[in-house]
């Protein structure tokens, strides 16, 4: 019998037998508190992922003094320097160590817990997809790298360069964020830029100041209104999400600041909005007040390129072989798929299980999606690597 004949059936049989193991591993990962700043928990996550990786993979732990350890796992072919398929997952969650949301619970349909869908469920998919291919004797033949970073939820400051380095050695990448509600796969994402707007006025006694006083708060109010007018849905959204300033009601505010989040569809939107922002920021409404805009964090857009569409069609064919229907989704939030996309490497995101309400204490994963999604990932990894 040819090694890959009835591969869908054999992958499904492997996974059906291990549904309980998958949920047990998910429970184990969710019970490791691993907020982005929780180095001890993140180091344990890296250990747990390393321990679960199937045998033919070579493991390398990347240690960072100020971030959780990260894990690079490569098959022999990838280790030997062949162009590889990159599988990306993050071990961190948005929940700090002292969160009250520190349990794992299941009911008939759902699993609940911190990071259960963002993205510990995705990590389970990654491990078991690779394990299935290893079990079937296929993993040694293909060049695959799974990289688990620990800082995605804070903008991937330490892992950004590693993602770029691994992406540059890859012909394609899959990211394990959750799938869409209707079994979608993410073929594109908006980009994001985060800015801090600082306003410097001149402080003084409120009773002595009159019209036209150099209040940083008043200037900031003008700026927020002008900046919010740049909203241009659906291509561009701009949100002044925090404001802060002043020391008391009897004092003219010497300083005020706002934090601004911008989402854009293409690089040209980003450039256009930035130019408009610079103009607004450089034109004070009140004499004697100065504003500065500082870029803090962001990710480039992930456009729905023809190469992403072709990769999606390959995944869609594998879904059909499994009796599944998948659709393509353009998602508004950003992820590490945006970083991969910036290197010109075809990438799909949303390859993890289905669920919702991530970043909230009602976060859940649909248990019934875990096996089908892992089967789809395994088949997609195999076929993508074979046809590369
Ligand atoms: Zn995530």
């Amino acid at each position: 019998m040819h090694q890959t004949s009835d591969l869908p059936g054999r992958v499904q049989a492997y996974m059906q037998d291990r549904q309980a193991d998958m949920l047990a591993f998910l429970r184990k990962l969710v019970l490791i508190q691993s907020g982005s700043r929780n180095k001890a928990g993140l180091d344990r996550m890296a250990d747990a992922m390393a321990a679960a990786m199937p045998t033919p993979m070579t493991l390398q732990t990347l240690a960072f003094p100020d971030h959780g350890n990260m894990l690079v796992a490569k098959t022999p072919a990838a280790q030997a320097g062949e162009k590889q398929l990159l599988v990306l997952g993050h071990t961190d969650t948005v929940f700090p160590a002292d969160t009250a949301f520190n349990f794992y619970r299941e009911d008939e349909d759902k699993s609940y817990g911190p990071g259960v869908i963002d993205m510990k469920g995705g990590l389970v998919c990654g491990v078991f997809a690779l394990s299935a291919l290893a079990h079937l004797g296929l993993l040694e033949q293909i060049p695959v790298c799974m990289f688990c970073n620990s800082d995605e939820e804070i903008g991937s400051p330490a892992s950004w360069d590693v993602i770029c380095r691994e992406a540059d050695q890859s012909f394609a990448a899959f990211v394990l964020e959750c799938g869409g509600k209707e079994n979608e796969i993410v073929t594109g994402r908006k980009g994001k830029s985060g800015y801090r707007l600082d306003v410097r006025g001149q402080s003084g006694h409120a009773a002595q100041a009159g019209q036209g006083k150099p209040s940083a708060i008043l200037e900031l109010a003008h700026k927020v209104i002008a900046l919010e007018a740049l909203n241009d849905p659906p291509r561009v959204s701009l949100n002044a999400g925090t404001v802060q300033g002043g020391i008391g009601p009897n004092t003219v505010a010497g300083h005020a600041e706002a934090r601004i989040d911008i989402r854009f569809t293409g690089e040209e939107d980003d450039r256009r909005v930035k130019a408009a922002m610079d103009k607004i920021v450089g034109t004070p409404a009140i004499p004697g007040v100065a504003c500065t805009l500082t870029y803090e964090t962001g990710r480039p857009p992930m456009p729905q390129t023809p190469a992403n569409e072709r990769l999606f069609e390959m995944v869609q064919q594998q879904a059909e072989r499994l009796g599944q229907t998948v659709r393509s989704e353009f998602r508004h939030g950003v992820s590490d798929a945006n970083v991969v996309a910036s290197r010109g490497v075809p990438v799909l995101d949303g390859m993890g299980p289905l669920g919702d309400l991530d970043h909230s204490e009602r976060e859940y994963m649909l248990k019934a999606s875990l096996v089908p999604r892992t089967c789809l990932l395994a088949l997609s990894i195999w076929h993508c690597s074979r046809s590369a």
Side-chain angles (χ1 to χ4, degrees), residues 90 92 117-119 152-153 177 335 358-359:
H90 64 83
D92 61 325
I117 194 67
D118 188 12
M119 60 148 69
E152 194 271 349
E153 297 290 3
E177 299 284 359
S335 81
D358 48 320
H359 297 211

Side-chain angles (χ1 to χ4, degrees), residues 6-204:
D6 190 32
L7 190 57
R10 294 166 73 204
V11 165
Q12 278 171 316
Y14 176 90
M15 234 61 89
Q16 287 300 345
D17 287 348
R18 283 163 186 83
Q19 196 162 7
D21 296 346
M22 293 173 86
L23 287 170
F25 185 49
L26 178 62
R27 177 177 190 278
K28 178 180 176 170
L29 295 183
V30 168
L31 288 178
I32 300 173
Q33 285 293 305
S34 62
S36 308
R37 306 286 182 194
N38 181 352
K39 178 161 173 61
L42 289 162
D43 290 355
R44 285 179 61 207
M45 280 295 293
D47 290 345
M49 290 302 291
M53 284 292 168
T55 328
M57 302 201 79
T58 307
L59 309 179
Q60 188 193 3
T61 301
L62 308 180
F64 294 86
D66 303 323
H67 294 279
N69 290 350
M70 309 194 193
L71 180 71
V72 184
K74 295 201 182 207
T75 62
Q79 186 68 21
E82 265 183 59
K83 275 267 183 184
Q84 63 192 11
L85 175 75
L86 180 60
V87 179
L88 260 186
H90 64 83
T91 57
D92 61 325
T93 75
V94 296
F95 300 99
D98 60 356
T99 180
F101 188 38
N102 59 359
F103 54 80
Y104 176 83
R105 190 165 66 76
E106 285 178 28
D107 61 22
E108 193 137 344
D109 307 322
K110 295 170 182 162
S111 294
Y112 305 88
V116 71
I117 194 67
D118 188 12
M119 60 148 69
K120 294 183 176 182
L123 295 175
V124 173
C125 284
V127 163
F128 278 82
L130 294 174
S131 299
L133 294 174
H135 177 80
L136 297 172
L138 301 174
L139 193 59
E140 291 195 45
Q141 306 173 29
I142 52 175
V144 181
C145 168
M146 181 161 172
F147 176 45
C148 303
N149 61 340
S150 62
D151 57 351
E152 194 271 349
E153 297 290 3
I154 52 171
S156 306
S159 61
W160 192 294
D161 289 347
V162 184
I163 295 169
C164 291
R165 189 184 73 208
E166 293 300 336
D168 289 348
Q169 292 175 39
S170 302
F171 49 78
F174 293 141
V175 181
L176 302 174
E177 299 284 359
C178 72
K181 280 206 187 67
E182 305 292 328
N183 214 25
E184 288 94 340
I185 303 279
V186 177
T187 52
R189 284 181 177 271
K190 279 191 174 174
K192 168 188 164 166
S193 292
Y195 292 94
R196 192 183 72 240
L197 174 63
D198 280 287
V199 185
R200 291 253 159 239
Q202 290 163 37
S203 51

